[in-house]
Protein backbone atom coordinates (compact mmCIF):
# COMPACT_ATOMS: atom_id res chain seq x y z
CA UNK A 1 0.00 0.00 0.00
CA UNK A 2 2.67 2.50 1.00
CA UNK A 3 4.76 1.84 -2.10
CA UNK A 4 2.10 1.94 -4.82
CA UNK A 5 2.33 5.65 -5.62
CA UNK A 6 5.07 8.12 -6.55
CA UNK A 7 7.94 5.63 -6.54
CA UNK A 8 9.36 7.63 -9.45
CA UNK A 9 12.59 9.03 -10.84
CA UNK A 10 12.85 12.82 -10.72
CA UNK A 11 15.35 14.86 -12.68
CA UNK A 12 14.31 18.40 -11.72
CA UNK A 13 15.83 17.84 -8.30
CA UNK A 14 19.02 18.90 -6.56
CA UNK A 15 20.46 17.38 -3.40
CA UNK A 16 22.82 18.36 -0.61
CA UNK A 17 24.60 15.85 1.62
CA UNK A 18 25.19 16.34 5.35
CA UNK A 19 27.87 14.44 7.21
CA UNK A 20 27.70 16.71 10.25
CA UNK A 21 24.71 16.82 12.58
CA UNK A 22 24.89 20.50 13.51
CA UNK A 23 25.17 21.56 9.86
CA UNK A 24 22.06 19.46 9.16
CA UNK A 25 20.05 21.05 11.98
CA UNK A 26 21.06 24.58 10.99
CA UNK A 27 19.90 23.90 7.44
CA UNK A 28 16.65 22.22 8.50
CA UNK A 29 15.72 25.04 10.88
CA UNK A 30 16.54 27.68 8.26
CA UNK A 31 14.12 26.03 5.82
CA UNK A 32 11.43 25.56 8.50
CA UNK A 33 11.63 29.30 9.08
CA UNK A 34 10.94 29.83 5.37
CA UNK A 35 7.82 27.62 5.32
CA UNK A 36 4.75 29.27 3.79
CA UNK A 37 2.25 26.42 3.38
CA UNK A 38 3.04 23.32 5.45
CA UNK A 39 5.64 21.35 7.39
CA UNK A 40 5.71 17.55 7.83
CA UNK A 41 8.03 15.92 10.40
CA UNK A 42 8.22 12.14 10.90
CA UNK A 43 11.01 10.85 13.18
CA UNK A 44 11.85 7.79 15.23
CA UNK A 45 13.27 9.99 18.00
CA UNK A 46 12.29 13.53 18.94
CA UNK A 47 14.08 14.22 22.21
CA UNK A 48 13.74 17.27 24.41
CA UNK A 49 16.90 19.35 24.51
CA UNK A 50 18.68 22.27 22.88
CA UNK A 51 18.11 21.07 19.32
CA UNK A 52 14.41 20.43 19.83
CA UNK A 53 14.01 23.80 21.57
CA UNK A 54 15.37 25.52 18.45
CA UNK A 55 13.14 23.48 16.14
CA UNK A 56 10.07 24.01 18.31
CA UNK A 57 10.61 27.76 18.42
CA UNK A 58 10.70 27.82 14.63
CA UNK A 59 7.61 25.58 14.39
CA UNK A 60 5.61 27.73 16.82
CA UNK A 61 6.48 30.89 14.92
CA UNK A 62 5.36 29.32 11.62
CA UNK A 63 2.20 27.89 13.18
CA UNK A 64 1.30 31.36 14.46
CA UNK A 65 1.76 32.63 10.90
CA UNK A 66 -0.82 30.13 9.64
CA UNK A 67 1.47 27.37 8.35
CA UNK A 68 -0.05 23.88 8.60
CA UNK A 69 2.22 21.58 10.67
CA UNK A 70 1.96 17.82 11.27
CA UNK A 71 4.39 15.75 13.37
CA UNK A 72 4.70 11.96 13.81
CA UNK A 73 7.04 10.39 16.37
CA UNK A 74 7.56 6.75 17.28
CA UNK A 75 6.24 5.99 20.75
CA UNK A 76 8.92 3.40 21.60
CA UNK A 77 11.75 5.62 20.36
CA UNK A 78 10.62 8.38 22.74
CA UNK A 79 9.57 6.49 25.87
CA UNK A 80 11.82 8.48 28.20
CA UNK A 81 12.69 11.49 26.03
CA UNK A 82 9.45 13.25 25.18
CA UNK A 83 7.13 14.25 28.02
CA UNK A 84 3.36 14.63 28.06
CA UNK A 85 3.85 18.28 29.02
CA UNK A 86 5.92 18.85 25.88
CA UNK A 87 3.28 17.20 23.70
CA UNK A 88 0.61 19.40 25.26
CA UNK A 89 2.75 22.49 24.63
CA UNK A 90 3.06 21.52 20.96
CA UNK A 91 -0.67 20.98 20.63
CA UNK A 92 -1.39 24.30 22.35
CA UNK A 93 0.68 26.00 19.62
CA UNK A 94 -1.70 24.67 16.97
CA UNK A 95 0.60 21.89 15.77
CA UNK A 96 -0.88 18.46 15.02
CA UNK A 97 1.26 15.74 16.65
CA UNK A 98 0.68 11.98 16.80
CA UNK A 99 2.54 9.03 18.32
CA UNK A 100 3.09 5.97 16.15
CA UNK A 101 2.11 2.53 17.49
CA UNK A 102 1.70 3.35 21.22
CA UNK A 103 3.62 0.86 23.31
CA UNK A 104 0.88 0.28 25.90
CA UNK A 105 -1.56 -0.79 23.20
CA UNK A 106 0.50 -3.62 21.70
CA UNK A 107 2.99 -4.54 24.42
CA UNK A 108 1.99 -8.21 24.38
CA UNK A 109 1.60 -8.55 20.64
CA UNK A 110 3.90 -8.74 17.65
CA UNK A 111 2.71 -5.30 16.50
CA UNK A 112 4.97 -3.90 19.20
CA UNK A 113 7.92 -4.66 16.88
CA UNK A 114 6.56 -2.55 14.03
CA UNK A 115 8.29 0.78 14.59
CA UNK A 116 8.38 3.99 12.56
CA UNK A 117 12.14 4.28 12.04
CA UNK A 118 11.84 6.87 9.28
CA UNK A 119 13.49 10.28 9.35
CA UNK A 120 11.47 12.59 7.11
CA UNK A 121 11.02 16.36 7.01
CA UNK A 122 9.14 18.11 4.20
CA UNK A 123 8.67 21.86 3.85
CA UNK A 124 6.16 23.21 1.31
CA UNK A 125 6.68 20.16 -0.89
CA UNK A 126 9.85 21.81 -2.22
CA UNK A 127 12.44 20.75 0.37
CA UNK A 128 12.64 17.29 1.93
CA UNK A 129 15.15 15.62 4.22
CA UNK A 130 15.90 12.01 5.04
CA UNK A 131 18.83 10.03 6.43
CA UNK A 132 19.97 8.69 9.78
CA UNK A 133 19.72 11.84 11.90
CA UNK A 134 16.98 12.02 14.53
CA UNK A 135 15.93 15.24 16.30
CA UNK A 136 18.08 14.94 19.42
CA UNK A 137 21.14 16.62 20.93
CA UNK A 138 23.54 13.68 20.57
CA UNK A 139 23.18 13.85 16.78
CA UNK A 140 24.76 17.31 16.93
CA UNK A 141 27.39 16.13 19.46
CA UNK A 142 26.09 18.55 22.07
CA UNK A 143 26.86 15.84 24.59
CA UNK A 144 28.82 12.61 24.35
CA UNK A 145 27.22 9.19 24.51
CA UNK A 146 29.54 6.89 22.55
CA UNK A 147 32.42 9.11 21.53
CA UNK A 148 31.90 11.28 18.45
CA UNK A 149 28.49 10.67 16.85
CA UNK A 150 28.89 10.36 13.08
CA UNK A 151 25.77 10.45 10.92
CA UNK A 152 24.46 11.29 7.46
CA UNK A 153 21.45 12.93 5.84
CA UNK A 154 20.44 14.43 2.53
CA UNK A 155 18.27 17.39 1.55
CA UNK A 156 16.24 17.04 -1.65
CA UNK A 157 15.14 20.24 -3.34
CA UNK A 158 12.64 20.27 -6.18
CA UNK A 159 10.31 17.71 -7.71
CA UNK A 160 11.81 14.73 -5.86
CA UNK A 161 10.67 16.13 -2.51
CA UNK A 162 7.10 15.20 -3.40
CA UNK A 163 7.91 11.48 -3.08
CA UNK A 164 8.56 11.87 0.66
CA UNK A 165 5.61 14.23 1.10
CA UNK A 166 3.30 11.65 -0.50
CA UNK A 167 4.60 8.91 1.79
CA UNK A 168 4.03 11.09 4.86
CA UNK A 169 0.48 11.79 3.72
CA UNK A 170 -0.22 8.09 3.27
CA UNK A 171 1.20 7.28 6.72
CA UNK A 172 -0.86 10.02 8.38
CA UNK A 173 -4.10 9.00 6.67
CA UNK A 174 -3.51 5.31 7.33
CA UNK A 175 -2.72 5.74 11.04
CA UNK A 176 -4.73 8.76 12.12
CA UNK A 177 -7.11 10.82 9.99
CA UNK A 178 -7.42 12.70 6.74
CA UNK A 179 -5.42 15.89 6.33
CA UNK A 180 -7.28 19.20 5.99
CA UNK A 181 -6.61 19.43 2.25
CA UNK A 182 -6.54 17.22 -0.85
CA UNK A 183 -3.23 15.62 -1.75
CA UNK A 184 -2.54 18.01 -4.62
CA UNK A 185 -2.55 20.93 -2.16
CA UNK A 186 0.73 19.57 -0.75
CA UNK A 187 2.52 19.33 -4.09
CA UNK A 188 5.36 21.81 -4.71
CA UNK A 189 4.22 25.12 -6.16
CA UNK A 190 7.55 26.01 -7.74
CA UNK A 191 9.53 24.07 -10.33
CA UNK A 192 12.62 22.20 -9.29
CA UNK A 193 16.09 23.26 -10.45
CA UNK A 194 17.65 21.95 -13.66
CA UNK A 195 20.34 19.57 -12.44
CA UNK A 196 22.19 16.54 -13.80
CA UNK A 197 21.22 13.05 -12.74
CA UNK A 198 18.14 11.63 -11.09
CA UNK A 199 16.72 11.25 -7.58
CA UNK A 200 14.40 8.52 -6.30
CA UNK A 201 13.14 8.97 -2.74
CA UNK A 202 11.16 6.05 -1.37
CA UNK A 203 9.96 4.30 1.77
CA UNK A 204 9.36 0.74 2.91
CA UNK A 205 7.58 -1.05 5.72
CA UNK A 206 5.99 -4.31 6.87
CA UNK A 207 2.76 -3.51 5.00
CA UNK A 208 4.70 -4.16 1.79
CA UNK A 209 5.61 -7.73 2.75
CA UNK A 210 6.39 -10.02 1.01
CA UNK A 211 7.64 -7.28 -1.32
CA UNK A 212 10.64 -5.55 0.19
CA UNK A 213 11.80 -2.48 -1.78
CA UNK A 214 14.48 -1.45 0.73
CA UNK A 215 16.25 -4.81 0.91
CA UNK A 216 15.85 -5.29 -2.85
CA UNK A 217 17.52 -1.91 -3.40
CA UNK A 218 20.48 -2.95 -1.27
CA UNK A 219 20.79 -6.15 -3.34
CA UNK A 220 20.66 -4.18 -6.57
CA UNK A 221 23.30 -1.72 -5.42
CA UNK A 222 25.60 -4.54 -4.32
CA UNK A 223 25.17 -6.55 -7.52
CA UNK A 224 25.57 -3.51 -9.80
CA UNK A 225 28.97 -2.50 -8.40
CA UNK A 226 31.85 -3.02 -10.85
CA UNK A 227 34.66 -0.97 -9.27
CA UNK A 228 33.91 -0.20 -5.62
CA UNK A 229 31.17 -0.50 -3.02
CA UNK A 230 31.35 1.52 0.22
CA UNK A 231 28.84 0.98 3.04
CA UNK A 232 28.34 2.66 6.42
CA UNK A 233 26.04 1.08 8.98
CA UNK A 234 25.87 0.98 12.79
CA UNK A 235 24.60 -2.62 12.86
CA UNK A 236 25.21 -5.69 10.72
CA UNK A 237 23.00 -8.76 11.08
CA UNK A 238 21.89 -9.79 7.61
CA UNK A 239 20.39 -12.86 6.03
CA UNK A 240 22.71 -15.32 4.31
CA UNK A 241 21.72 -14.09 0.84
CA UNK A 242 23.00 -10.56 1.50
CA UNK A 243 26.16 -11.86 3.16
CA UNK A 244 26.83 -13.94 0.05
CA UNK A 245 26.10 -11.02 -2.26
CA UNK A 246 28.85 -8.99 -0.58
CA UNK A 247 31.26 -11.93 -0.76
CA UNK A 248 30.51 -12.49 -4.46
CA UNK A 249 31.06 -8.80 -5.18
CA UNK A 250 34.46 -8.90 -3.47
CA UNK A 251 35.38 -12.16 -5.24
CA UNK A 252 34.61 -10.52 -8.59
CA UNK A 253 37.18 -7.79 -7.95
CA UNK A 254 34.95 -5.06 -6.52
CA UNK A 255 36.60 -3.05 -3.74
CA UNK A 256 34.05 -3.67 -0.96
CA UNK A 257 34.45 -1.66 2.23
CA UNK A 258 32.24 -1.83 5.32
CA UNK A 259 32.48 1.01 7.88
CA UNK A 260 31.18 0.40 11.41
CA UNK A 261 31.53 1.90 14.91
CA UNK A 262 34.53 1.35 17.15
CA UNK A 263 32.40 2.45 20.12
CA UNK A 264 29.01 0.72 19.70
CA UNK A 265 25.84 1.85 21.41
CA UNK A 266 24.68 -1.76 21.81
CA UNK A 267 27.55 -4.08 22.64
CA UNK A 268 25.51 -7.23 22.08
CA UNK A 269 24.67 -6.11 18.53
CA UNK A 270 28.36 -5.43 17.86
CA UNK A 271 29.36 -8.87 19.14
CA UNK A 272 26.83 -10.42 16.78
CA UNK A 273 28.12 -8.34 13.86
CA UNK A 274 31.59 -9.77 14.46
CA UNK A 275 30.32 -13.28 13.76
CA UNK A 276 29.78 -12.27 10.10
CA UNK A 277 33.13 -10.60 9.64
CA UNK A 278 35.33 -13.67 9.34
CA UNK A 279 33.64 -14.80 6.13
CA UNK A 280 33.64 -11.28 4.73
CA UNK A 281 37.37 -10.92 5.41
CA UNK A 282 38.15 -14.28 3.78
CA UNK A 283 36.54 -13.01 0.60
CA UNK A 284 38.46 -9.74 0.61
CA UNK A 285 35.92 -7.34 2.13
CA UNK A 286 37.68 -4.55 4.02
CA UNK A 287 36.19 -3.65 7.41
CA UNK A 288 36.85 -0.28 9.06
CA UNK A 289 36.13 0.60 12.69
CA UNK A 290 35.43 4.31 13.17
CA UNK A 291 37.80 5.04 16.03
CA UNK A 292 36.43 8.48 17.15
CA UNK A 293 33.19 6.85 18.27
CA UNK A 294 29.82 5.74 16.99
CA UNK A 295 28.96 5.78 13.30
CA UNK A 296 25.18 5.90 12.92
CA UNK A 297 25.21 6.79 9.21
CA UNK A 298 23.31 4.49 6.85
CA UNK A 299 24.69 4.99 3.36
CA UNK A 300 25.83 3.08 0.29
CA UNK A 301 28.07 4.32 -2.53
CA UNK A 302 28.56 2.47 -5.83
CA UNK A 303 31.20 3.24 -8.47
CA UNK A 304 31.07 7.00 -7.93
CA UNK A 305 27.74 6.96 -9.77
CA UNK A 306 24.96 5.81 -7.41
CA UNK A 307 24.33 6.42 -3.74
CA UNK A 308 21.75 5.66 -1.09
CA UNK A 309 21.31 7.77 2.04
CA UNK A 310 18.53 6.84 4.41
CA UNK A 311 17.30 5.40 7.69
CA UNK A 312 17.68 1.58 7.29
CA UNK A 313 20.33 -0.38 9.14
CA UNK A 314 21.72 -3.56 7.64
CA UNK A 315 19.69 -5.86 9.85
CA UNK A 316 16.48 -7.86 9.94
CA UNK A 317 14.52 -5.23 11.82
CA UNK A 318 15.09 -2.54 9.20
CA UNK A 319 14.43 -4.83 6.27
CA UNK A 320 11.38 -6.65 7.68
CA UNK A 321 9.82 -4.91 10.70
CA UNK A 322 10.46 -1.18 10.51
CA UNK A 323 9.02 1.60 8.39
CA UNK A 324 12.07 3.14 6.69
CA UNK A 325 12.93 5.95 4.27
CA UNK A 326 15.79 6.62 1.86
CA UNK A 327 16.88 8.57 -1.19
CA UNK A 328 18.59 7.00 -4.19
CA UNK A 329 20.83 9.39 -6.08
CA UNK A 330 21.99 8.71 -9.63
CA UNK A 331 24.80 10.64 -11.37
CA UNK A 332 24.21 13.68 -9.18
CA UNK A 333 26.96 15.99 -7.83
CA UNK A 334 25.91 15.04 -4.29
CA UNK A 335 27.42 11.58 -4.85
CA UNK A 336 30.87 13.21 -4.76
CA UNK A 337 30.00 14.84 -1.43
CA UNK A 338 29.23 11.43 0.03
CA UNK A 339 32.46 9.98 -1.36
CA UNK A 340 34.51 12.75 0.28
CA UNK A 341 32.81 12.10 3.60
CA UNK A 342 33.36 8.34 3.38
CA UNK A 343 37.04 8.90 2.58
CA UNK A 344 37.27 11.07 5.71
CA UNK A 345 35.60 8.32 7.78
CA UNK A 346 38.09 5.72 6.58
CA UNK A 347 41.00 8.09 7.27
CA UNK A 348 39.88 8.17 10.92
CA UNK A 349 39.21 4.43 11.13
CA UNK A 350 41.24 1.36 12.04
CA UNK A 351 41.32 -1.53 9.60
CA UNK A 352 39.93 -4.68 11.17
CA UNK A 353 41.95 -7.74 10.15
CA UNK A 354 41.56 -11.50 10.13
CA UNK A 355 44.11 -11.60 12.93
CA UNK A 356 41.85 -9.36 15.02
CA UNK A 357 38.91 -11.62 14.30
CA UNK A 358 40.81 -14.78 15.26
CA UNK A 359 42.04 -13.23 18.52
CA UNK A 360 38.53 -13.03 19.98
CA UNK A 361 38.34 -14.91 23.28
CA UNK A 362 36.50 -18.22 23.44
CA UNK A 363 34.02 -16.62 25.85
CA UNK A 364 33.28 -13.83 23.36
CA UNK A 365 32.85 -16.34 20.54
CA UNK A 366 30.51 -18.53 22.58
CA UNK A 367 28.46 -15.57 23.74
CA UNK A 368 28.24 -14.25 20.16
CA UNK A 369 27.05 -17.61 18.82
CA UNK A 370 24.24 -17.70 21.36
CA UNK A 371 23.24 -14.11 20.68
CA UNK A 372 23.20 -14.72 16.94
CA UNK A 373 20.29 -17.10 17.38
CA UNK A 374 18.18 -14.10 18.34
CA UNK A 375 19.85 -11.61 15.97
CA UNK A 376 16.65 -10.90 14.06
CA UNK A 377 15.24 -9.16 17.15
CA UNK A 378 18.17 -6.81 17.76
Amino acid sequence: YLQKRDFLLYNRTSAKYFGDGMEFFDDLIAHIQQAETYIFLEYFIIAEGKIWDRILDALKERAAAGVEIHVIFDDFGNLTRFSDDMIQSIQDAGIEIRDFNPVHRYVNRIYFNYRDHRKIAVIDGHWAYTGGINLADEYANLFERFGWWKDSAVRIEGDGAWALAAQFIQMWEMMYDTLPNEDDYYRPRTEGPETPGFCQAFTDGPLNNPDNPMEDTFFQLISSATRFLYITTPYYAVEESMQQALCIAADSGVDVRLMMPAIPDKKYAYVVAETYWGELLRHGVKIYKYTPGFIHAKSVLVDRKMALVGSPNMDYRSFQLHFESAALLYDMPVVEELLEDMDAVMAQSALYTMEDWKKRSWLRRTFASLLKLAAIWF
Side-chain angles (χ1 to χ4, degrees):
Y1 170 73
L2 292 177
Q3 277 305 131
K4 299 302 182 185
R5 187 176 63 178
D6 295 293
F7 187 57
L8 302 171
L9 279 169
Y10 294 91
N11 64 344
R12 297 185 65 89
T13 303
S14 66
K16 176 176 174 53
Y17 173 78
F18 299 95
D20 176 79
M22 186 57 78
E23 182 187 11
F24 164 80
F25 289 123
D26 288 344
D27 194 86
L28 172 63
I29 293 167
H31 283 92
I32 288 174
Q33 291 169 337
Q34 298 176 47
E36 297 179 353
T37 308
Y38 73 89
I39 299 166
F40 294 156
L41 297 178
E42 181 180 350
Y43 281 87
F44 180 63
I45 295 173
I46 301 177
E48 295 178 42
K50 294 179 180 179
I51 291 297
W52 177 245
D53 286 346
R54 290 179 59 197
I55 293 172
L56 184 57
D57 286 345
L59 292 175
K60 287 182 175 180
E61 189 277 328
R62 288 291 80 201
V67 173
E68 180 183 330
I69 304 176
H70 302 273
V71 180
I72 300 172
F73 68 94
D74 186 86
D75 193 53
F76 181 78
N78 294 275
L79 279 177
T80 62
R81 310 194 66 181
F82 212 49
S83 66
D84 290 342
D85 288 343
M86 175 58 72
I87 294 172
Q88 187 61 56
S89 172
I90 294 168
Q91 292 172 333
D92 291 344
I95 298 168
E96 293 286 334
I97 183 167
R98 300 286 188 275
D99 56 343
F100 178 88
N101 197 0
V103 171
H104 69 276
R105 185 180 301 171
Y106 297 122
V107 69
N108 293 321
R109 299 161 66 178
I110 194 170
Y111 301 116
F112 174 84
N113 289 290
Y114 297 150
R115 307 311 329 170
D116 188 353
H117 196 245
R118 296 176 182 177
K119 290 86 178 169
I120 294 175
V122 185
I123 296 99
D124 290 348
H126 188 74
W127 298 289
Y129 298 79
T130 191
I133 300 178
N134 284 296
L135 308 185
D137 286 356
E138 63 265 36
Y139 293 82
N141 285 290
L142 295 183
F143 70 93
E144 184 176 306
R145 292 187 67 191
F146 311 101
W148 185 261
W149 192 291
K150 174 63 180 173
D151 222 313
S152 63
V154 65
R155 184 191 75 217
I156 302 168
E157 179 179 352
D159 297 352
W162 168 247
L164 291 175
Q167 297 303 316
F168 180 96
I169 292 168
Q170 290 180 353
M171 176 66 86
W172 186 277
E173 293 181 345
M174 178 189 71
M175 294 298 298
Y176 313 113
D177 199 356
T178 57
L179 290 170
N181 299 285
E182 297 294 329
D183 288 5
D184 283 346
Y185 173 85
Y186 301 101
R187 288 186 180 273
R189 302 182 183 188
T190 57
E191 286 192 348
E194 289 283 1
T195 54
F198 298 88
C199 173
Q200 190 172 34
F202 67 106
T203 62
D204 192 11
L207 291 181
N208 290 325
N209 294 339
D211 295 332
N212 196 331
M214 197 66 70
E215 189 172 27
D216 290 346
T217 300
F218 270 75
F219 274 119
Q220 179 147 357
L221 289 170
I222 293 168
S223 62
S224 65
T226 59
R227 293 189 294 128
F228 68 83
L229 171 68
Y230 295 169
I231 299 172
T232 63
T233 181
Y235 315 113
Y236 187 88
V238 298
E239 295 183 22
E240 183 63 21
S241 54
M242 187 164 291
Q243 175 87 344
Q244 289 303 309
L246 289 171
C247 292
I248 291 169
D251 287 341
S252 69
V254 176
D255 181 4
V256 182
R257 304 187 184 191
L258 178 66
M259 290 160 254
M260 295 196 65
I263 305 176
D265 65 333
K266 301 172 183 175
K267 292 184 179 179
Y268 59 84
Y270 183 83
V271 169
V272 169
E274 281 184 327
T275 65
Y276 294 86
W277 293 357
E279 182 180 20
L280 293 176
L281 291 167
R282 283 193 294 271
H283 287 267
V285 175
K286 300 180 183 69
I287 299 173
Y288 292 82
K289 295 170 62 177
Y290 181 64
T291 52
F294 181 58
I295 186 165
H296 188 256
K298 306 100 166 23
S299 53
V300 182
L301 179 64
V302 177
D303 293 347
R304 214 167 188 167
K305 291 180 67 66
M306 292 183 292
L308 179 144
V309 179
S311 65
N313 302 309
M314 290 189 73
D315 60 15
Y316 180 88
R317 277 192 168 276
S318 281
F319 291 142
Q320 302 293 336
L321 298 176
H322 287 169
F323 291 86
E324 303 282 1
S325 60
L328 268 174
L329 310 159
Y330 305 85
D331 286 326
M332 299 180 74
V334 69
V335 174
E336 286 294 312
E337 298 173 24
L338 175 59
L339 175 59
E340 291 177 10
D341 193 52
M342 286 181 156
D343 284 341
V345 167
M346 286 183 283
Q348 300 177 77
S349 300
L351 194 63
Y352 186 89
T353 66
M354 181 62 77
E355 182 180 358
D356 294 325
W357 190 74
K358 290 180 177 178
K359 285 196 303 187
R360 294 174 303 149
S361 68
W362 68 268
L363 183 61
R364 188 181 185 94
R365 296 183 189 205
T366 302
F367 184 56
S369 297
L370 294 173
L371 283 175
K372 193 173 182 179
L373 297 174
I376 65 171
W377 302 111
F378 291 165

